[in-house]
Amino acid sequence: MEELRTPFRVTAGRFLRSVRVFMSSEVGGTAKLLTACLVVLFLAINGLNVLNNFVGRNFMTAIADRQIAEFVRQAIFYLLVFAGSTIASVYARFTEERLALTWRDFLTRRAVNLYLTDGAFYRLGVSGGLSYPDQRISEDIRAFTVTTLSFLLMIFSSGLTILSFSGVLLSINPVLFAVAVLYATCGSFLTVWLGRPLIKLNYDQLDKEASFRTGLIQARENAERILLTGSEARMKSFLAVRIDDLVTNFRNITSVNRNVGFFTTGYNWLIQIIPALIVAPAFFRGDIEFGVITQSAAAFAMLVGAFSLIINQFNSISSFAAVVARLSTLSEAIERPKGGAKIQVDEIRGDLSYEKLTILSERDGSSLLQELTVAIPPRARVLVTCAREDQGSALFRATAGVAYPGTGQIFRPMAEGIRFLPQHPYFPPGTLRQLFIPPAASPEISDERIALLLAEFELQRISKIEEFQQEVEWHTVLTQREQCLLMLASACVAKPHVILLERTEAMVGWETLFRIMTRFANDGIACVHIGSAADISSYDAILDFDDSGAWQWNTPHDRGNGSGAKHAN
């Protein structure tokens, strides 16, 4: 898989850049404070572990020597060390979770902003080159932040443990220290060798789980159409295939885990007996106390555990490697410059115009529009008629910034200066005031004015659905016609320079559309209607495209008497 071949240097570079951006962000101060607290807490935990190792030795020696007073004293020390370790461990876990949450919140917001900027979400969806970007943003970022922080802390803790307990083992028996290092090294190598297929399998599992969830979402969102068309059996088959895929892949994961488990389980059991095998002869000779045996066993287990990070966490590491690869490809895909389209879209402080705009079909490369050079006059009502349906769609979407192959320039108003009403509009969940009041508008627009607009646009029932401040799932509440009317009504508040309509007459009817366009003209809004009309006299100009993409600009009078100025290409 190509995505798994991301060079380590690139992946590591992206990881380090992610950390730098996080630490230098507006939440960087909080992140640095939490990180410093974690370092202090882990130093305390490590120190208490070493102290606990010596207290344990003295405790067991007191039992072996039947020294009651020493036994009681060491038991009290034991309880104090346990209490300190408990407090430090709980606060360390709490601080780790807070830091992970802060990091996830920052990365998720940043990813969403990038994903919804410059049409990246549309580009990734159309290209099909990146599977399930939504899952990567939601699930993979969560796994990345939590797992990364956990690994970093485990590495830091393991380093402290190695430094502390190496001295303890060397003081007891240098051979035992050498055995611990060799044992952990060989174990790590064999674990990696046995579990190497897990990275690809875990990567695939994430995609297969996302595919199954997407199928369930499709079934929910298209429930009525599935019922009416009797497509239940096909949907069952569709979902069954995805269940088979994820189950088969997970079976492969469990098979590899079984093989790794045979080795790692035996590896961990042997840790308990190796120290006794090496140190016990010295006790039999009377060279050491009995407590040294338990001390060496505990120190050996701590040291081997620190060296065995790969062995003990291999499943998590393999899943984490897949997550890093997925997020790396997501970042590359979002940041990858748009290709294929040579049409230049410039935002200006002015009206909508086209300069030598040629749009080619993405399907066969044929010309949809040829050398279109037109300026839309202020306040004008312009009808755009097309011999082919894909011509109007291409002009509408290219003006909105959707990448199309072709040449030429599009000059359009900035930001709130232009509105687009597609044939099938969509409203994200929000309040009625959020739909009506754009960011640049005055927030002092009253509910009464909104209610008057709703009445003017035949939407009286909407104000009775919910309060104006109540968040609503509009696509489930409104009909397609009501959604079109609501978007047209909101344009009266936004007052853009120009609004583009795509076959709106099919949704609201010609009579209603003519009335609304007249209102727009009175408000100083130019209206470009891509569709058809029962009465062309209601328009100020008509832009006609023939089957070859050649165009002609007429007034209704010119078109009626067949004259028309020379505008054909």
Side-chain angles (χ1 to χ4, degrees):
M1 182 179 292
E2 184 64 29
E3 290 174 289
L4 292 179
R5 296 173 189 163
T6 305
F8 173 78
R9 236 180 330 177
V10 174
T11 303
R14 289 191 177 277
F15 168 75
L16 293 175
R17 187 178 68 174
S18 173
V19 174
R20 284 197 302 270
V21 171
F22 174 53
M23 288 298 180
S24 60
S25 67
E26 64 277 5
V27 296
T30 301
K32 291 173 183 175
L33 177 61
L34 291 173
T35 302
C37 290
L38 277 173
V39 171
V40 172
L41 287 168
F42 271 85
L43 287 171
I45 291 170
N46 187 75
L48 288 168
N49 285 338
V50 174
L51 181 60
N52 183 63
N53 184 261
F54 283 95
V55 172
R57 182 190 70 178
N58 296 334
F59 182 78
M60 296 305 296
T61 298
I63 293 175
D65 294 343
R66 297 179 175 84
Q67 297 176 351
I68 297 177
E70 182 66 14
F71 168 78
V72 172
R73 193 163 72 93
Q74 294 301 324
I76 293 173
F77 288 161
Y78 239 149
L79 293 174
L80 292 175
V81 172
F82 285 159
S85 297
T86 300
I87 294 172
S89 297
V90 170
Y91 272 104
R93 180 62 179 170
F94 172 78
T95 307
E96 178 185 346
E97 290 177 345
R98 280 296 179 88
L99 181 57
L101 180 61
T102 303
W103 196 4
R104 181 193 178 186
D105 179 49
F106 170 76
L107 283 183
T108 303
R109 291 179 188 276
R110 187 169 182 267
V112 169
N113 288 336
L114 291 173
Y115 184 59
L116 294 176
T117 300
D118 294 332
F121 63 97
Y122 178 85
R123 188 173 73 251
L124 296 181
V126 170
S127 67
L130 187 73
S131 58
Y132 311 108
D134 52 317
Q135 193 227 21
R136 299 183 190 222
I137 292 175
S138 62
E139 293 298 319
D140 290 352
I141 286 181
R142 177 192 60 79
F144 172 76
T145 53
V146 172
T147 310
T148 296
L149 192 56
S150 177
F151 282 156
L152 289 176
L153 292 176
M154 279 192 288
I155 292 171
F156 178 69
S157 178
S158 296
L160 292 176
T161 301
I162 290 170
L163 290 175
S164 302
F165 284 91
S166 292
V168 174
L169 274 187
L170 284 170
S171 66
I172 296 172
N173 191 322
V175 174
L176 189 59
F177 172 78
V179 170
V181 175
L182 182 62
Y183 188 70
T185 302
C186 293
S188 299
F189 174 79
L190 288 173
T191 301
V192 172
W193 182 75
L194 290 170
R196 67 190 185 282
L198 279 177
I199 295 178
K200 182 180 185 303
L201 288 171
N202 283 323
Y203 187 104
D204 291 342
Q205 189 68 22
L206 292 171
D207 269 352
K208 295 181 189 302
E209 296 282 0
S211 177
F212 177 58
R213 284 196 299 272
T214 300
L216 292 175
I217 292 171
Q218 290 176 358
R220 184 192 67 194
E221 293 181 344
N222 299 282
E224 182 178 340
R225 278 173 281 188
I226 292 172
L227 179 64
L228 295 176
T229 58
S231 304
E232 293 96 331
R234 289 200 298 274
M235 181 55 71
K236 287 179 183 178
S237 176
F238 173 82
L239 292 175
V241 170
R242 275 142 186 80
I243 293 173
D244 290 341
D245 286 344
L246 69 89
V247 168
T248 299
N249 193 76
F250 196 74
R251 281 177 179 159
N252 293 331
I253 291 176
T254 58
S255 296
V256 177
N257 282 337
R258 177 201 60 204
N259 298 336
V260 174
F262 275 128
F263 173 75
T264 56
T265 303
Y267 174 92
N268 288 323
W269 279 115
L270 284 175
I271 291 175
Q272 300 180 42
I273 194 173
I274 290 176
L277 293 175
I278 296 175
V279 178
F283 173 74
F284 295 147
R285 293 193 303 267
D287 295 338
I288 59 174
E289 302 169 335
F290 177 75
V292 175
I293 297 179
T294 58
Q295 182 189 21
S296 63
F300 184 86
M302 293 289 289
L303 187 61
V304 172
F307 277 121
S308 304
L309 183 62
I310 293 177
I311 299 171
N312 297 329
Q313 300 294 329
F314 188 79
N315 285 335
S316 298
I317 292 173
S318 61
S319 299
F320 177 68
V323 166
V324 171
R326 288 166 60 83
L327 288 178
S328 181
T329 53
L330 172 66
S331 178
E332 289 176 355
I334 290 178
E335 295 173 2
R336 187 179 300 134
K338 293 179 282 187
K342 298 179 182 178
I343 298 173
Q344 183 176 344
V345 180
D346 295 318
E347 292 187 341
I348 60 173
R349 295 185 179 276
D351 299 308
L352 176 64
S353 63
Y354 303 93
E355 183 71 28
K356 295 183 178 181
L357 176 64
T358 296
I359 302 179
L360 306 178
S361 170
E362 293 181 305
R363 185 180 65 256
D364 55 17
S366 61
S367 293
L368 298 177
L369 310 179
Q370 293 185 35
E371 296 286 326
L372 174 63
T373 301
V374 161
I376 306 299
R379 311 167 67 97
R381 295 164 296 179
V382 180
L383 173 65
V384 180
T385 62
C386 305
R388 296 161 49 184
E389 185 174 335
D390 55 354
Q391 291 173 316
S393 177
L395 179 62
F396 184 89
R397 282 156 179 74
T399 306
V402 176
Y404 267 93
T407 57
Q409 288 180 286
I410 300 174
F411 300 95
R412 70 182 196 189
M414 301 172 64
E416 293 296 329
I418 188 168
R419 282 282 183 104
F420 297 90
L421 178 55
Q423 186 174 7
H424 301 288
Y426 170 75
F427 285 107
T431 67
L432 198 56
R433 288 189 64 85
Q434 288 173 335
L435 295 183
F436 268 91
I437 303 176
S442 170
E444 299 177 358
I445 298 174
S446 66
D447 291 348
E448 289 74 17
R449 183 184 173 190
I450 294 176
L452 289 174
L453 279 172
L454 290 175
E456 180 183 347
F457 283 79
E458 307 170 18
L459 296 169
Q460 297 93 328
R461 82 171 187 91
I462 295 179
S463 59
K464 301 175 183 177
I465 294 174
E466 297 285 355
E467 295 296 330
F468 288 176
Q469 299 292 352
Q470 181 69 38
E471 186 171 283
V472 179
E473 296 274 354
W474 295 107
H475 67 282
T476 64
V477 173
L478 304 179
T479 65
Q480 285 287 308
R481 182 176 190 273
E482 287 173 332
Q483 290 183 51
C484 285
L485 289 171
L486 185 56
M487 186 168 282
L488 291 168
S490 67
C492 294
V493 176
K495 293 191 183 305
H497 295 297
V498 60
I499 182 169
L500 270 73
L501 311 176
E502 182 186 31
R503 298 180 179 85
T504 308
E505 78 284 354
M507 288 293 173
V508 304
W510 279 307
E511 183 178 346
T512 300
L513 180 60
F514 292 155
R515 175 173 57 82
I516 292 173
M517 287 194 301
T518 300
R519 190 194 199 288
F520 284 160
N522 294 335
D523 288 343
I525 302 172
C527 185
V528 179
H529 172 216
I530 301 172
S532 59
D535 181 10
I536 61 174
S537 64
S538 300
Y539 294 89
D540 301 307
I542 300 168
L543 178 60
D544 284 316
F545 290 99
D546 65 20
D547 189 66
S548 68
W551 58 276
Q552 190 169 17
W553 178 272
N554 294 309
T555 66
H557 174 74
D558 293 333
R559 197 181 191 201
N561 60 31
S563 58
K566 174 177 163 272
H567 290 291
N569 185 42

